[in-house]
Amino acid sequence: MTVAPERLQASFPNAHHGVSADGIPYVLVRPENIAETARAARDELGYVRWVDLTAVDEPDVEPRFELQYLLYSMAERRWLRLKTQTDDKVPSVTGVFPGANWYEREVFDLFGVEFEGHPDLTRIMMPDDWQGHPLRRDYPIGGEAVDFTVTREILGTGGGNELRG
Amino acid sequence: MVLETHRIRNTLHINMGPQHPSTHGVLRVELELDGEVVVSCKPIIGYLHTGIEKTFETMGYLQGLTLTDRMDYLNPMGNNLAYCLSIEKLFECEIPERAIVGRVLLAELTRINSHLVFVGTAGLDLGASSVFLYCLREREKLQDLFEWLSGQRMMTSHIRPGGLASDFEPEWLTACDAFLDEMPKRIDEYESLLTNNPLFKERMIGIGVLSAEDAIAYGVTGPMLRACGVAQDLRKTNPYLGYETYDFDAIVADGGDCYARYKVRVAELRETVKIAKQALKRLPGGPVKTSNRKVMPPPREELGTSMEAVIHHFKLFTEGIRPPAGEAYVPIESPRGELGFYIVSDGSGKPVRVHERAPTFANVQALPLMAEGGLVADLIAVIASIDPVMGEVDR
Amino acid sequence: MADYSGLFIYICLAAAIVAVIVAISGSLSPSRPSEAKSRPYECGVSEMESTQHRWPVRFALVAMLFLIFDVETLFFYPWAVLVRELRWTGILGIASFFAVLGVGYMYARARGALKWR
Amino acid sequence: MTMELPVTSPSRGGHVRDGGPGFGLSKLADWSREKSLWPATFGLACCAIEMMAASAANYDIARFGSEVFRASPRQADLMIVSGRVSQKMAPVLREIYDQMPEPKWVIAMGDCASCGGVFNNYALIQGVDKIVPVDVYIPGCPPRPESLIDGILKLKTEIGKGLR
């Protein structure tokens, strides 16, 4: 199921290419030209259907967030993944794919990645006055410690609340 | 009392809020109305955000399986299947034939389960409350089958990484066969109630039209996309679990309106019964669990004899399954569209990232395209035709 | 004075029943007005803005049309109760009544009063 | 985020027995309140599907007087919180509870409503009794329709005796 990388390499010469474990080829581009890459993928290569956008947070790697854009070509029935690595700012692709609107708002809400040029970049999941971005690795899981008798005896009355952060 | 004069605006700004009988869960829609006509409609979600993707990262892969049941709670085994396919792709592990056909059978039964709720609630939203009772009557039979198989009516977690949780009993298969024999007659019953009902057609035909280009650009998938005339069914375009060997046809309707979506889903109910019957017929013998000891624990009797089995058993139940480092996204065709789990693993027992590509997240995003310009009553029909499940939209 | 006592008893009985019901429910149901209860119910979200502003005249038109045709059905009841005794004269009378209002309905429908747009 | 609970003690569930005019009328009132508990549709997540199954033909809570699910809190006297209550939903739930006329009762259906259930994280209110007084907690994820009916019946017997 892997697309011939040469065809991809031809259209994105200065990008880093590869194929993930699930056979979907990916193109790693710098954040500033993600919009052009998306437009090229849609217009030249035929990846017209918007599928997904999400981010993976690796706190100890220098560009912290790796954004995964997923597109699908109706003609060739194949997926393509565009990746960018950034710390905070990425240009928005809602101009190319209007479907990216809510996905970018979700990544902004849960990871804190700014999308320049997004029509209405506000929180979508959390209440509007929420502090912090929950899906970051350094954000505590929250909730409250379950008050088992065991945790109460070992950790004193706190019941392990400090574990929860 | 000084009558304070305020800006004269002729649009009414009201809120069809999270607690509303026909928003199929906790979807909130901010409406700008000019009389009965919807001028602008802004869906607001997040009222059921459960932080499931964060909870995945604190759990092992097998524990995370139980979370997948609770995301799209009308299609639990479909979620399990998508999650397991991504994990198995990371492991590159072989699944026995009986488990593959069993998974097709269970996925199609869950599709019936989900579409029955759609037909019931679509009728209920438009005032036809008797269809709801008919549909849930069949659904109860289906849930009894699920409970007999896995012990739980809804949150079955029966499809596990590496195969199925347990084998099918012969009596269960015959009961399932009887249920599938009876379904076509039942579907005729529902169709006789709704499909040619003039009131239903008046409320659904030409309402909430979505063009194919908009649907593709907005990432809409599933019956909503097929109702716009686009033949995009992952079971046909990118077959998994051997779907190419089953004889069924992907239903495509044109018109892109609410009625086309209803027709696609009802026709899909019939196709699903056909697939399930074929899966039942061709269910081969053999084990339902993979022999790959990194994924599934060895059978009990083997523990007595081979030391290696005991080591595998011990490692599996202390550290859980540890897929090799990498990322995988293997989508399936859920009753609502393309559903897939993007799993990033670093080789440890806990995933780095599990993101669910929820079909109704994109489908609900396209609501303004369909609702604006229509009447308020049409907005109810459009939301019913999207068939959103807020559990997977808000995650 | 024809025998109106029956009607008189009927009216008193009706008034008595209403009074009893109102009295019992008034005394038994605890009434605890609160600030939240006075706010308009808008699906759980606090009210977006004041509702005193202009609304389209079409609503009034639909209300009037409903009033006319609903009251019309009211007039069928006395006729329906005595349909056998009135025989043809009754049917003729109600038919003419229905014809006049039918013309009115056709006119309203032709002018598009029932269509919202 | 915990809000201050209302003055009525949770065991009363917001229904303050003000005695009424004696001679058994309040006993009559309790009896009538028990017989027709109208739930407010508060379906949030998976438990709502089981609540729908409970109100459908096979389990049919209409037999116990809960036939009609009132959409507006004004006409409801029982709030069945069926599903997980997120942080964004908590003020809405509190607003709906406040807008329900007394006497009113709350059933926390399922683990997520009773104690946050399997989702012990930042996003959920860990148990709906942090924002509204709860009368009956129903365990289960989701609870079977029979356990929902059992919960409603237990609440009804308490209301009938005037304890709640």
Side-chain angles (χ1 to χ4, degrees), chain B residues 344-361:
Chain B
V344 177
S345 138
D346 60 358
S348 76
K350 289 193 163 64
V352 171
R353 176 82 168 99
V354 175
H355 168 67
E356 186 215 12
R357 195 271 167 190
T360 33
F361 187 76

Side-chain angles (χ1 to χ4, degrees), chain B residues 22-37:
Chain B
S22 70
T23 50
H24 286 248
V26 281
L27 167 69
R28 175 181 165 201
V29 186
E30 250 178 40
L31 291 172
E32 191 85 24
L33 295 182
D34 166 17
E36 285 279 312
V37 175

Side-chain angles (χ1 to χ4, degrees), chain A residues 14-15 28-37 83-85 91:
Chain A
N14 46 26
L28 180 62
V29 292
R30 280 196 310 284
E32 47 279 5
N33 46 34
I34 182 67
E36 299 83 42
T37 318
K83 291 181 180 240
T84 53
Q85 285 164 350

Side-chain angles (χ1 to χ4, degrees), chain B residues 132-133 136 140, chain D residues 34-41 47-70 78-80 82 107 109 138 144-153 156:
Chain B
F132 177 75
L133 299 174
L136 286 192
E140 283 304 319
Chain D
E34 174 215 348
K35 282 305 175 223
S36 77
L37 274 173
W38 281 6
T41 41
C47 290
I49 310 294
E50 281 297 74
M51 191 164 71
M52 269 168 25
S55 62
N58 286 49
Y59 293 98
D60 199 1
I61 47 176
R63 298 172 285 165
F64 310 104
S66 309
E67 160 64 26
V68 65
F69 272 75
R70 302 310 299 168
L78 164 68
M79 174 199 270
I80 303 182
S82 56
I107 287 185
M109 175 184 180
I138 301 180
R144 292 181 58 89
E146 286 99 338
S147 31
L148 172 63
I149 292 172
D150 176 46
I152 292 179
L153 288 183
K156 279 162 73 80

Side-chain angles (χ1 to χ4, degrees), chain D residues 1-3 5 85 90 93-94 125 127-133:
Chain D
M1 182 185 78
T2 55
M3 296 187 188
L5 291 184
V85 182
L93 189 133
R94 179 67 210 195
I125 300 282
V128 86
D129 44 17
K130 288 197 167 16
I131 40 177
V132 284

Side-chain angles (χ1 to χ4, degrees), chain D residues 49-119:
Chain D
I49 310 294
E50 281 297 74
M51 191 164 71
M52 269 168 25
S55 62
N58 286 49
Y59 293 98
D60 199 1
I61 47 176
R63 298 172 285 165
F64 310 104
S66 309
E67 160 64 26
V68 65
F69 272 75
R70 302 310 299 168
S72 115
R74 308 290 192 206
Q75 302 140 5
D77 37 46
L78 164 68
M79 174 199 270
I80 303 182
V81 181
S82 56
R84 40 202 192 229
V85 182
S86 70
Q87 302 281 358
K88 210 172 178 179
M89 194 65 186
V92 173
L93 189 133
R94 179 67 210 195
E95 173 99 356
I96 299 279
Y97 177 77
D98 289 342
Q99 288 184 340
M100 282 164 71
E102 269 78 16
K104 52 191 173 187
W105 297 276
V106 174
I107 287 185
M109 175 184 180
D111 295 348
C112 294
S114 309
C115 66
V118 70
F119 306 111

